[in-house]
Structures are given as structure tokens and as C-alpha cells.
Amino acid sequence: MPEPLRIALAGLGTVGGGVIRLIETNGALIARRAGRPLEIVAVCARDRSKDRGVDLSRYPWEDDMTLLAERADVDVVVELVGGADGPALALARRTLAAGKGLVTANKAMIAHHGLELAQAAEAAGAPLKFEAAVAGGIPVIKGLREGVAANAVERIYGILNGTCNYILSTMERTGRDFGDVLKEAQDLGYAEADPAFDIEGTDAAHKLAILAAIAFGSRIDFESMAIAGINRIRAADIGQAAALGYVIRLIGLAEHDADDAGRLFQRVQPCLVPRAHPLAAVDGPTNAVVAEGNFSGRLLFQGAGAGDGPTASAVVADLIDIARGLTGAPFSVPVDALETLAPADPSHREGRAYLRFTVTDRPGVLAEITAAMRDAGVSIESLIQHGRHDEGGEVLVAMVTHEGPESGVARALELLEGSASLTEPPLVMPLLA
Ligand SMILES: NC(=O)c1ccc[n+]([C@@H]2O[C@H](COP(=O)([O-])OP(=O)(O)OC[C@H]3O[C@@H](n4cnc5c(N)ncnc54)[C@H](OP(=O)(O)O)[C@@H]3O)[C@@H](O)[C@H]2O)c1
């Protein structure tokens, strides 16, 4: 029997428990495919007495997580603790410094410290893999690193947060408002008790930063990403989008600047997606990523973006690669060879946009808004004023612009800033082309 790949598991929560169940269930077929068995030789979590639905008595327990990195009987540490910094990062650093492999599902840590960790992995000649960090069970990192490797990627975009997608598609199906559906998502376990990371777009932005680095062969750049979440979307916006033939999805998108290939545009923002687009059919907590290669054309990766089974599937796929000796540079290209792409100039972007104004119901308001559009050179394709008034005498004015520079819309909003007619800042959502 060939030598097993010896694994230490840090974190025995949703994903850690899933990894144990998967290895226990599929161990024999994995050993055949990997050419050697995967063996869990140590585990660690905070609370040893917690019932995790798996029998842990056969796995040696380590009280101090960082000691997993020092154990002579461990080849690979699997970090499933979470958090960009703190114990997860300390463990990752120690593991790679000790020359051991590291597999992680931790998108926050990779988005913030991925380059440092990749450098450490390269210096130590140790594998670093993070398939599960992006879109759960979908093998999109593998798809980009291997399947699309021959292409120049022109654009990568997708639905990267299952919580947001669940909320938006439920709002769409039921006509209910954001707060109400968020509460339901929390009760059903689709949203965290503190949902900020998801609904404000940060989680999707972590994943997009990782995807963009791999797709464009560039240094990961989370800091310059533009991020907007879904918390300002109202049932009326969803209804308006539907009337126009669109659905609303939180989209993370990265592409080269239209006028300067040395710059990268990265943004997470709710967008209007045409009903005929494959992303419009992505419902519930599902994730989907579209990669457009210059020879492959448009590819769609779709599946469960979270959950114990799908995420464990991605973690163990990484372990199988390591067992087979298939590693390579963590970001496909060695860190020193990654390009440094400056943030794109937003004034270069063109497109159509949906704008929604919430205004006090009095004469002249519409004229004020349309005048600002005219003065900023924004051409309006359609405009709808909602007849429905709620208690405050508030009226919604929604419009879609013709194709034009995004900077025009930004200028129009500047002109309206401080207007006594607006009851809240306007909501802008690009139309996905
Ligand atoms: N859940 C998903 O569907 C999913 C999908 C993709 C990626 N991920 C990523 O996978 C990672 C794990 O997520 P999860 O959902 O499995 O989290 P989780 O259920 O909260 O589990 C975290 C585990 O880490 C342990 N832990 C926390 N701090 C520790 C410390 N200081 N020392 C030792 N153990 C510690 C916890 O121990 P106790 O159990 O004893 O408290 C728990 O077992 C995160 O990076 C997450 O972003 C999760």
C-alpha cells in the first residue's frame, strides 16, 4: 500500500465535519483515484466536548491549533477555522514555514494575505490550495487554472454569494421586502445572525479578488475593489426590473480597463441581469461564475456555493491533487511573475444603468431630476414614476439610461446631492451586458 497523505484538520464546524464525513464515506474510491489514501492524523477545534455528529474518538485531538503545523506525522494542514487574521493566519504561516502543505476554504484570509502565503509556499516548496474559498463546491479555480489555461480571459463575473442570491430571488418570487426576507433567511440558516459580511458585498468581493488574480495572472488586489451590497434594494426595484425584462442579482465582475490593459476593473454591485442571460436563472443559494476566454468563448460554472457537502468536496479535491503530486503555483503563476494591474479608471466605463430616486411627492421634483440628467449629458431611455405612496408621501422614480459613460450618471448624482427633494441617496444599478 502506498504511503497515505497525512492530514491535520483545524476546525470541525460545518466544513470540517463535512470533510471527515466525506473522507470516511468515499475513502476507498479516493484512495484509488489519488493513488494513495487520505488519512486524518490529527484534529482540532475549540470545544472538545461538542457533539459534531461524527465519531472523533479515532482521531488524535490537538488542543493548541498551531501545534498541528509542528507535528512530524502531518503532511498537510487543512485550515477550516475562518477569519482573515487571528488564529487561522497564524496557523497558515506556521504550516508553510514548516514546509507542510496548506489547504484552506478561507476566502477572507486568501483575499487579504494570499500573496504573502503564496510566497511562503513557493519558498518552502509546499502546496497551497484554496478551491473551497470561492463558490463552495464549484471547481472554478481548477477550471480557470487548468481548463481555461490556454486563454486570455476577457472577463470574469458571477453570483458569488448564496445568501444574497437567496434573498434576491425570494424577493423576486414573493414580492416581499428585503428586511422580511433577510429575517426568513436567518431563520432557515441561509444567513448569519450578523449578515453584514454577506449583504454588504464583502464576502463576494473576497471571492472576486481571488478569481481575478487567477484569471488575469495579476497580484490580488482586494483593497481597490468597489463594493456595494443588496441592503438598499426594495421590492419596488425588483418589480420595476421585472417589468423591464430583468432580474436583480449581486454580481462580482472583473475585466481589463476598456482603454488600458494595464488596469483592472473589479466591482461587486447589484445589477440588472436580462432574463435571457444564464445568470438570471440562477436561483436560491446557488452560485455561478461566467468566464469569457478569447478562444473558449463563454463558460458557465454553476452549483452549490456553500454547505458542508459541496465545500468539503472542494477541500478534498485539493487534497487529492496534493496526494497525486499535482500542485503548481497557488495563483497559477509564481508570485514574482504576477502582473501588477492598477485599478481601472471608472470614467472609462460605459453602459446602461437603472436609477431609482426616492422623493417627496411635490411638483417640480421630476423636472429637477431630469434637469440634472440633461446637464450631466445622461440620456434617459425610460422613466417610471410610481403611483404608490407610502406613509411619508414618498414616491419612487425609476429610470433606465441609454448606453453612456458611467461618469455621466455619477455627475448627475453629484448635481442632485443635497437636494431637499430626495429622501435618501439614489440607488444605481448597472445593466449587465
Ligand atoms: N460553511 C460554508 O458553507 C463555507 C463555504 C465556503 C467556505 N467556507 C469557509 O470555511 C471556513 C470554515 O467555515 P465553517 O462554516 O465550517 O465555520 P464554523 O462552522 O464556524 O467552524 C469553525 C470551526 O473552527 C473552530 N475554531 C474557531 N476558532 C478556533 C480556535 N481558536 N482554535 C481551534 N479551533 C477554532 C471552531 O471550533 P468549535 O466548533 O469548537 O467552536 C469550529 O469547529 C471559513 O473560512 C469559511 O469562510 C465555509
Side-chain angles (χ1 to χ4, degrees), residues 10-17 44-50 52 61-66 79-83 86-88 104-109 132-137 192 203 207 305-312 315:
L12 301 170
T14 306
V15 185
C44 172
R46 269 178 307 214
D47 179 357
R48 192 168 181 171
S49 62
K50 200 190 260 184
R52 300 168 192 277
W61 182 277
E62 189 72 70
D63 278 322
D64 178 352
M65 195 167 71
T66 52
E79 182 279 304
L80 301 170
V81 171
T104 178
N106 189 336
K107 50 246 171 179
M109 181 176 77
V134 179
E192 304 278 343
D203 175 77
K207 297 170 188 167
D308 57 343
T311 313
V315 168

Side-chain angles (χ1 to χ4, degrees), residues 117-129:
L117 295 175
Q119 223 145 17
E122 285 169 25
L128 163 62
K129 297 183 79 70

Side-chain angles (χ1 to χ4, degrees), residues 245-311:
Y246 292 82
V247 297
I248 299 177
R249 295 285 180 264
L250 183 69
I251 301 290
L253 182 147
E255 64 187 341
H256 284 290
D257 184 303
D259 301 333
D260 181 353
R263 291 175 177 271
L264 187 66
F265 174 78
Q266 302 180 91
R267 176 163 72 189
V268 171
Q269 189 175 18
C271 294
L272 268 66
V273 177
R275 241 196 231 106
H277 192 286
L279 290 185
V282 177
D283 268 343
T286 307
N287 282 193
V289 177
V290 176
E292 293 173 358
N294 62 343
F295 277 69
S296 64
R298 184 158 89 180
L299 298 167
L300 174 70
F301 302 82
Q302 183 174 345
D308 57 343
T311 313

Side-chain angles (χ1 to χ4, degrees), residues 44 75 90 106 117 178 184 197 221 262 271 316 320 331 339 361 366 377 406:
C44 172
D75 301 314
N106 189 336
L117 295 175
F178 174 78
E184 180 188 272
F197 236 54
D221 180 13
C271 294
V316 178
I320 293 173
F331 288 97
E339 279 190 89
D361 188 15
L366 209 53
E406 285 190 5

